[in-house]
Amino acid sequence: MKREIGDKNIDSALRPSRWEEYIGQEKTKGNLRMIIEAAKMRGEAVDHLLFYGQAGLGKTTLAALVAKETSAPLRIITGSSIEKAGDLAALLSSLEDGEVLFIDEAHRLNPAAEEVLYPAMESRKLHIVIGKGTGAHAVSIDLPPFTLIAATTRFDMLSSPLRSRFGAIFHLEFYTQGEIAEILRRSAKLLSVKADGEGLEVLAKASRFTPRTANRLLKRARDYLAVKNLKVIDKETARAILGIMEIDDLGLEPVERKILELIALKFKKGPVGIRTITAASGEEQATIEEVYEPYLMKLGFIKRTPAGRVLEEEAVEHLRREQWRV
Ligand code: ADP
């Protein structure tokens, strides 16, 4: 029997482990490779890097590639997991020579922890206070060379002192539909799933220009094929999967269509404030701003204006196509 990759191991199986497999983001890739090459020539650790952009666009994957390229160990933490400044100090002092420390969701780091980071990033020093009261005194510990790679979905929430301490900052963009189709083709091959061009196109169009979403759709398509005893993801199969997942041909979820409809009907296409949308839709403001809106703006469905959100004609046309009464 052919061995299949289990669902849980799929994410690591699909994660690109060579630059050639990392599709798109050409400018970022080119710049990063140059920075790494130069650091290697000088025999130094790679400069501290910041990646920002939507979830699932490949920030963690890039960090892993940087570590691999420099043969450095990689340690991954999230900003919110650091509760006290002391936790970060302990972590920094345990770093190995050249290690890459990846801090995901760096905008959730607390300010006291950020203070610990500044001297560590700038001069590889850790300033800690030993003792309490009158006996307290500050000591400075030297850290080994290391590379901090921070990732965030909210560049605007990152403090400017922290931002200014990175050697290079990269904005990961949404992928083109063609790049997503290429990612799907590669993933399908790795998972031994057969898909024809039209089937892949339907999945690519519904992938929100995001590799993680594309791979998730492919996984569900793979389940569907197995359960229905089908051999190939074609147009019909792909559409059936979108139907089961309750997403439309552009990958919009019911809640997003609800928000669009709300702005169209209740607020006469806007402008309407984000707080009003939040209250009327019952969704969290952060989710609307960080997950739904970037994609809706990328589609040209919503525009942010000083007076509030405005619905664009493209959105109205899409809702009509989807049989909404707008
Ligand atoms: P982020 O850290 O930005 O949330 P990840 O790096 O975890 O995103 O990427 C999510 C998944 O998408 C990865 O497991 C990987 O399989 C896939 N992926 C991301 N970027 C690419 C890319 N450029 N080419 C191919 N696959 C990618």
Side-chain angles (χ1 to χ4, degrees):
M1 208 179 102
K2 203 171 62 175
R3 287 209 27 205
E4 297 209 332
I5 302 171
D7 212 42
K8 269 207 218 109
N9 297 325
I10 285 180
D11 288 340
S12 53
L14 298 183
R15 198 179 278 275
S17 57
R18 290 184 297 124
W19 290 111
E20 297 71 44
E21 294 170 342
Y22 192 95
I23 292 153
Q25 311 289 354
E26 298 302 334
K27 228 167 51 199
T28 295
K29 251 185 346 193
N31 281 330
L32 272 178
R33 293 180 82 163
M34 202 175 66
I35 290 173
I36 293 171
E37 210 44 51
K40 272 192 191 166
M41 282 163 72
R42 288 193 301 266
E44 290 173 357
V46 173
D47 216 343
H48 305 303
L49 308 168
L50 174 64
F51 300 145
Y52 72 98
Q54 292 296 295
L57 290 184
K59 300 182 290 298
T60 312
T61 309
L62 268 187
L65 280 173
V66 171
K68 184 152 185 261
E69 194 74 6
T70 51
S71 312
L74 171 71
R75 208 178 309 195
I76 299 181
I77 58 163
T78 59
S80 56
S81 68
I82 302 289
E83 281 173 24
K84 301 189 299 288
D87 295 346
L88 189 59
L91 194 143
L92 288 170
S93 62
S94 73
L95 287 176
E96 281 177 45
D97 208 333
E99 189 159 350
V100 174
L101 174 64
F102 178 70
I103 306 186
D104 202 5
E105 296 297 313
H107 61 274
R108 297 202 201 282
L109 271 175
N110 74 44
E114 267 192 29
E115 293 286 336
V116 174
L117 268 186
Y118 301 154
M121 290 173 77
E122 248 166 30
S123 46
R124 300 209 308 262
K125 297 259 185 240
L126 198 59
H127 300 310
I128 48 176
V129 178
I130 296 179
K132 277 196 178 127
T134 48
H137 61 285
V139 290
S140 175
I141 299 172
D142 287 329
L143 295 171
F146 73 100
T147 301
L148 178 80
I149 304 184
T152 181
T153 49
R154 290 298 301 268
F155 187 68
D156 58 323
M157 280 170 69
L158 219 56
S159 75
S160 57
L162 183 56
R163 277 187 217 173
S164 67
R165 282 170 169 87
F166 291 97
I169 298 179
F170 297 98
H171 179 203
L172 296 205
E173 319 259 356
F174 279 122
Y175 291 70
T176 65
Q177 201 175 303
E179 287 165 348
I180 292 292
E182 207 179 325
I183 290 172
L184 280 168
R185 216 167 288 125
R186 171 182 173 269
S187 300
K189 207 163 149 201
L190 287 171
L191 297 178
S192 310
V193 173
K194 284 208 176 67
D196 70 15
E198 284 183 331
L200 279 187
E201 201 179 308
V202 172
L203 293 186
K205 198 171 169 199
S207 294
R208 309 171 69 95
F209 311 118
T210 305
R212 182 180 291 143
T213 313
N215 284 340
R216 194 168 57 217
L217 284 180
L218 189 70
K219 282 192 258 178
R220 296 291 74 82
R222 177 194 193 232
D223 294 345
Y224 187 83
L225 287 190
V227 171
K228 299 276 180 189
N229 199 18
L230 296 168
K231 295 277 172 277
V232 183
I233 304 173
D234 54 16
K235 196 162 65 182
E236 283 71 38
T237 321
R239 286 200 181 131
I241 288 144
L242 302 190
I244 292 169
M245 294 179 75
E246 290 189 80
I247 60 178
D248 65 23
D249 63 335
L250 294 178
L252 292 182
E253 308 208 353
V255 49
E256 289 167 308
R257 297 195 293 265
K258 189 174 92 182
I259 289 170
L260 291 176
E261 190 203 32
L262 205 74
I263 305 176
L265 298 179
K266 195 160 180 198
F267 302 110
K268 312 265 176 285
K269 301 183 196 168
V272 52
I274 183 70
R275 294 228 172 82
T276 313
I277 299 176
T278 305
S281 67
E283 290 294 310
E284 297 227 353
Q285 183 171 331
T287 314
I288 296 180
E289 284 182 323
E290 289 171 38
V291 184
Y292 307 147
E293 271 193 344
Y295 181 57
L296 292 172
M297 290 197 296
K298 168 77 185 163
L299 288 174
F301 280 12
I302 277 187
K303 205 167 65 189
R304 279 183 186 160
T305 72
R309 273 57 170 174
V310 174
L311 198 72
E312 301 278 54
E313 203 41 46
E314 281 86 345
V316 177
E317 278 167 24
H318 179 70
L319 290 176
R320 283 202 185 116
R321 268 200 308 276
E322 294 281 315
Q323 318 281 314
W324 291 76
R325 272 173 286 113
V326 286

